[in-house]
Amino acid sequence: MARGRAPDAVWEARWVWLHRLRREFPEWVALFDPFASVWVAVRGRREYVTGATAHELRDRLYARRRSALP
């Protein structure tokens, strides 16, 4: 956050979601692309999951975790 500026509630909420996703899915790297307005999770070089919202990304990661073979 820049000095002298009021905190932006939207950006603060995004940071909270990023921390939450990173804590819940430590094997994935969670990112938000502000230019495309999309949430992305990456694991390795070839695995990625996208979502229009943080909720959607979280749900897709949970579904992927449930469907993974042990």
Side-chain angles (χ1 to χ4, degrees):
M1 175 170 53
R3 286 188 179 159
R5 288 180 43 192
D8 185 3
V10 173
W11 280 103
E12 292 294 324
R14 287 179 183 152
W15 279 110
V16 169
W17 269 104
L18 281 173
H19 288 297
R20 181 177 176 182
L21 289 169
R22 290 172 181 166
R23 186 179 62 241
E24 290 182 25
F25 304 99
E27 65 275 8
W28 292 86
V29 176
L31 306 164
F32 175 74
D33 181 1
F35 298 108
S37 190
V38 67
W39 292 81
V40 181
V42 180
R43 181 169 65 177
R45 291 181 179 217
R46 297 188 179 150
E47 282 187 272
Y48 67 92
V49 178
T50 62
T53 64
H55 294 281
E56 183 179 340
L57 179 62
R58 183 191 62 192
D59 292 344
R60 287 182 179 186
L61 288 172
Y62 274 128
R64 192 170 182 114
R65 182 185 282 172
R66 282 192 305 267
S67 68
L69 296 174

